Amino acid sequence: MDLTYSEEEEAFRARLRAWLSTALPELPPRPDPLDWPARRAYDTAWQRMLYDAGYAGLHWPEEAGGRGATPTQHLIYLEETEKAGAPYVGANFVGLLHAGPTVAAEGTPGQRARWLPPVLRGDEIWCQGFSEPDAGSDLAALRTRAVRDGDDYVVTGSKIWTSHAEVADWCELLVRTAPIAEDTPKHRGITWLAMPMDAPGITVRPLRTLAGSAEFAEMFLDEVRVPVANRVGAENDGWRVTMVTLSFERGTAFVGEVVACRRTLAELAKTAQRNGSWDDNAVRRQLGRLNAEFTALWRLTQWNVSASQRGGGVPGIGGSVFKLRYSHARQELYDTAARVLGPGALDLAHDWTLDRLSSLSYTIAAGTSQIQRNIVAERILGLPKGR
Amino acid sequence: MDFQLTPDQIALKSGMRDLLAARFDREALRAAVERPGLDRSLWRALGDAGFFALRLPESRGGVGLGLPEAVLVFEEAGRALLPGPLVATHLAAGTEPGAADGESVVTWADGPLTAWLDEADHVWGDTEGAVPLRSVDPLTPLHRTRGTRTHVPEAALLAAAEQLGSASRTTELAVQHAKERMQFGRPIGAFQAVKHLCADMLVRTEVARAAVYAAAVTEDPDEIAGAKLLADDAAVRGARDCLQVHGGMGFTWEADVHLHLKRAWVRAEQWQSADEAAEVLARSL
């Protein structure tokens, strides 16, 4: 068990820190969170800066245009960029963490050449067309149909919770290419397509979240033609292709956020000391408990990253354990912030109030806590499938 | 950074597990419950295996290993519910004659409680006016004492390691029962309500594991406090959930679950309580 970083790793950290200290002052001020075009411009500008400095697609394999960094280097990158207050992936989220790694792992050489470089350069952004009104946690129940017509699939149906749909260039779309039948598992008939968002027949309608912002959208697809050449993986093999994507999501998506939560916790303690709530034993000890929690989550991250490094860079199932605990800890953090702020917690102008509202999505998005518990129970503990 | 067990550490851990399987299996555990008292021959066997002298330098007859290795063997001790003042004797090795090789038993009056006072050959700390309790844990005799808390971070960490082993064991016991026990024509582990109890047990255990192992590597007192807090929680709540999964059987004396719960309660009050740990962690923010 070794928690020290090698000389090479420390040298990487030093170079990154030096670059961040000169690059970050050049960034324009952060845009209004409700202004999607401005957010897109800001996020892609940051991606371009990363690309020019050689940090784009750090953990992608070199043959996919990435830097082939080790999981530990990626961890250092996420730690240092968060500490420096750099933007996270933002609108580049799906391209960098879902669709890109999927195309890199499962796409043809031509597909990699077409789709990966624009993601790395920040020229194109992707959205995720997975969930449907009747297929959320039960994703395999999706109904959006794709019917083959010559060199195209003709796609009809609707998608929901589609983040960045308003400003995306591409959508990683899951469609049904074989009807749901009694005698075959329903995940057998699913296909993964890259759909251009300017294709005729696509209607995007923003959805307002309980935090007041339009974070995601509904998407209606009316006989949208998607070339068969845009299919990644075989027809009806999209479920397996998707599982590749989801393991990336649960593996590393929250690393930077743990660093951010530890910073928020330190600020929270300072606020409590200033406003007197520190003298309340229950509040102070709760802050102490959260310190234990987020320190342990950081150590668990290092544990998972080390396991993945030994396993050849493949994110393991430890991601479900992490996601379950982290999503609840984040909610506790902002509930405690509300306790420290008192009536001030009802002021939407306070960042922590918005963060408290948005934390409510963490136990739902990317697989609810209930689904994660099923995964842990069935795949790690080996309990029988059931209801 | 390679925050995983090394091959030597894996071998040490499984060696300790084998030793305990041979010398303190379930039958021995149940026999100990019926006839409380410290098994001196087992104590010497632990001494021979280097359990107490693990961290003494080889020049002084020790094994020359570090805190991470000590944590791994204490985890196994916790898993097997091994009784005795293990932490105190381990810490006294090298100072108190006979402690290192298991020839003598050392206990420590640690603030409000002292374990194994009557059986110990050496007692550290102030035990004046010690009053025996009817200990909730049939395998840990306790006295109330009035001395001040010792606050030795290493002691808290080794107790946390025992809690981790216990949490890990009760998770296994619950999962095993959930796979075998049939109700409504299927194993109870097929029902989500049971499944989710088990999943939460694993999550608490693995978070505690990361905290305990990391604290053993850094030896940082704040991280040790966090490890104790999380391991206490994993052990106590794990035993309660395990009891629940066992249903009516879990409430009987014959099931081992209550022994894990009672020992976890005792350890949660030893060396550093949850409130004390939380205060340390709040101060370090």
Side-chain angles (χ1 to χ4, degrees):
Chain A
M1 288 188 282
D2 182 8
L3 282 164
T4 56
Y5 294 91
S6 69
E7 267 179 44
E8 256 178 280
E9 288 161 348
E10 288 297 356
F12 170 78
R13 186 194 296 277
R15 279 197 305 279
L16 176 61
R17 258 191 211 167
W19 177 72
L20 286 167
S21 68
T22 56
L24 289 176
E26 290 171 24
L27 262 180
R30 284 190 192 230
D32 179 346
L34 296 181
D35 184 348
W36 270 107
R39 280 173 70 174
R40 177 192 158 122
Y42 179 84
D43 293 341
T44 52
W46 169 242
Q47 185 60 31
R48 180 68 200 211
M49 286 168 72
L50 288 173
Y51 179 82
D52 289 340
Y55 290 111
L58 197 65
H59 62 300
W60 286 18
E62 283 176 28
E63 60 272 24
R67 314 293 299 180
T70 63
T72 301
Q73 284 174 325
H74 189 217
L75 186 77
I76 291 170
Y77 168 83
L78 292 167
E79 188 182 10
E80 291 300 325
T81 46
E82 181 54 50
K83 273 189 188 161
Y88 190 42
V89 282
N92 295 303
F93 182 81
V94 175
L96 283 171
L97 300 179
H98 287 247
T102 305
V103 171
E106 299 285 331
T108 63
Q111 289 173 333
R112 285 191 218 151
R114 167 62 190 89
W115 287 316
L116 299 183
V119 167
L120 294 177
R121 283 196 306 262
D123 291 344
E124 289 180 349
I125 76 156
W126 288 63
C127 63
Q128 186 183 64
F130 282 14
S131 297
E132 298 183 7
D134 291 322
S137 291
D138 186 10
L139 182 59
L142 64 90
R143 288 169 188 280
T144 291
R145 286 288 311 273
V147 180
R148 188 84 178 250
D149 180 30
D151 291 338
D152 291 337
Y153 286 105
V154 179
V155 182
T156 299
S158 68
K159 293 287 174 178
I160 198 165
W161 321 130
T162 316
S163 305
H164 317 304
E166 285 176 81
V167 290
D169 304 289
W170 292 92
C171 177
E172 54 164 345
L173 189 72
L174 288 184
V175 294
R176 181 159 294 288
T177 35
I180 293 177
E182 283 281 319
D183 53 344
T184 42
K186 57 192 179 211
H187 63 261
R188 289 270 167 82
I190 291 171
T191 299
W192 198 105
L193 298 178
M195 178 177 76
M197 288 297 285
D198 58 359
I202 301 176
T203 308
V204 172
R205 195 170 74 84
L207 281 170
R208 199 168 176 205
T209 72
L210 58 72
S213 61
E215 276 299 315
F216 37 51
E218 285 178 293
M219 196 163 64
F220 301 94
L221 307 171
D222 182 16
E223 300 197 346
V224 180
R225 299 190 81 88
V226 179
V228 172
N230 288 16
R231 187 186 70 215
V232 171
E235 188 169 288
N236 297 332
D237 193 31
W239 186 257
R240 191 189 54 77
V241 174
T242 301
M243 288 303 113
V244 172
T245 318
L246 289 180
S247 67
F248 279 97
E249 179 178 14
R250 287 169 195 155
T252 50
F254 302 105
V255 168
E257 295 192 14
V258 176
V259 181
C261 282
R262 294 177 78 188
R263 197 180 53 210
T264 299
L265 184 60
E267 287 167 18
L268 192 49
K270 283 195 190 73
T271 304
Q273 283 158 2
R274 269 200 307 272
N275 75 10
S277 52
W278 186 257
D279 299 330
D280 180 336
N281 283 352
V283 170
R284 190 178 61 250
R285 287 171 189 171
Q286 176 63 5
L287 290 169
R289 284 192 188 91
L290 286 167
N291 189 8
E293 188 73 27
F294 285 105
T295 303
L297 283 167
W298 178 247
R299 296 310 191 189
L300 182 62
T301 300
Q302 291 176 311
W303 181 266
N304 287 341
V305 164
S306 293
S308 124
Q309 191 146 313
R310 281 199 188 177
V314 181
I317 199 141
S320 283
V321 171
F322 177 86
K323 201 259 180 188
L324 252 175
R325 184 77 169 225
Y326 170 68
S327 57
H328 289 271
R330 187 181 175 93
Q331 290 174 0
E332 259 183 68
L333 173 68
Y334 288 107
D335 283 346
T336 306
R339 232 172 133 180
V340 168
L341 290 175
L346 301 176
D347 183 355
L348 275 177
H350 204 296
D351 281 351
W352 289 345
T353 307
L354 283 172
D355 287 336
R356 188 187 191 196
L357 290 170
S358 71
S359 76
L360 298 171
S361 74
Y362 279 70
T363 47
I364 300 169
T368 64
S369 293
Q370 286 65 38
I371 291 295
Q372 301 293 345
R373 286 190 183 97
N374 287 354
I375 292 173
V376 168
E378 290 169 11
R379 296 198 210 151
I380 302 180
L381 297 175
L383 286 170
K385 286 199 173 271
R387 303 202 175 275
Chain B
M1 184 192 71
D2 181 28
F3 186 36
Q4 295 279 300
L5 302 196
T6 64
D8 284 350
Q9 287 170 336
I10 292 168
L12 176 71
K13 199 166 186 288
S14 67
M16 184 66 192
R17 186 173 295 196
D18 293 345
L19 169 78
L20 290 173
R23 294 297 307 250
F24 195 69
D25 60 359
R26 180 163 192 276
E27 211 173 303
L29 169 71
R30 299 309 307 207
V33 171
E34 298 313 316
R35 291 183 307 280
L38 204 64
D39 180 346
R40 292 284 181 152
S41 74
L42 174 58
W43 205 255
R44 275 189 292 272
L46 288 171
D48 288 344
F51 185 88
F52 301 115
L54 195 75
R55 290 187 301 140
L56 280 184
E58 287 176 57
S59 57
R60 295 175 59 201
V63 188
L65 293 173
L67 202 50
E69 286 76 22
V71 153
L72 297 176
V73 296
F74 271 78
E75 182 187 341
E76 291 303 319
R79 196 188 136 81
L81 271 175
L82 191 64
L86 298 165
V87 174
T89 304
H90 177 94
L91 292 175
T95 309
E96 201 65 67
D101 48 16
E103 287 302 323
S104 61
V105 175
V106 184
T107 193
W108 208 331
D110 177 46
L113 291 171
T114 304
W116 296 97
L117 186 57
D118 294 337
E119 301 240 14
D121 303 308
H122 308 282
V123 181
W124 287 12
D126 178 14
T127 55
E128 204 186 307
V131 179
L133 295 182
R134 281 183 61 204
S135 175
V136 67
D137 175 9
L139 287 169
T140 310
L142 291 171
H143 280 72
R144 290 229 48 160
T145 38
R146 285 175 303 191
T148 47
R149 184 72 103 189
T150 325
H151 289 305
V152 178
E154 285 173 18
L157 181 64
L158 296 175
E162 288 184 81
Q163 296 285 54
L164 170 64
S166 177
S168 175
R169 181 66 185 144
T170 51
T171 304
E172 276 174 28
L173 290 171
V175 169
Q176 192 184 328
H177 185 76
K179 283 178 183 170
E180 289 164 4
R181 170 72 172 163
M182 302 289 286
Q183 290 281 269
F184 305 100
R186 61 211 315 194
I188 59 170
F191 295 98
Q192 275 199 349
V194 174
K195 205 174 264 189
H196 288 190
L197 277 177
C198 295
D200 284 341
M201 290 169 76
L202 180 87
V203 170
R204 284 194 298 264
T205 305
E206 293 311 308
V207 171
R209 181 184 309 284
V212 169
Y213 288 2
V217 173
T218 64
E219 303 188 22
D220 175 69
D222 298 336
E223 272 205 85
I224 289 175
K228 179 67 163 55
L229 185 83
L230 294 169
D232 283 346
D233 187 56
V236 170
R237 291 174 66 188
R240 293 184 72 134
D241 286 351
C242 179
L243 197 153
Q244 181 70 20
V245 169
H246 278 75
M249 274 307 295
F251 191 66
T252 68
W253 190 264
E254 282 69 34
D256 295 341
V257 186
H258 71 105
L259 299 173
H260 277 281
L261 177 59
K262 291 163 178 174
R263 185 76 61 83
W265 278 342
V266 168
R267 288 194 206 105
E269 290 302 323
Q270 287 177 319
W271 309 110
Q272 191 173 45
S273 70
D275 282 346
E276 287 164 347
E279 292 287 358
V280 168
L281 288 154
R283 278 200 303 277
S284 78
L285 277 172

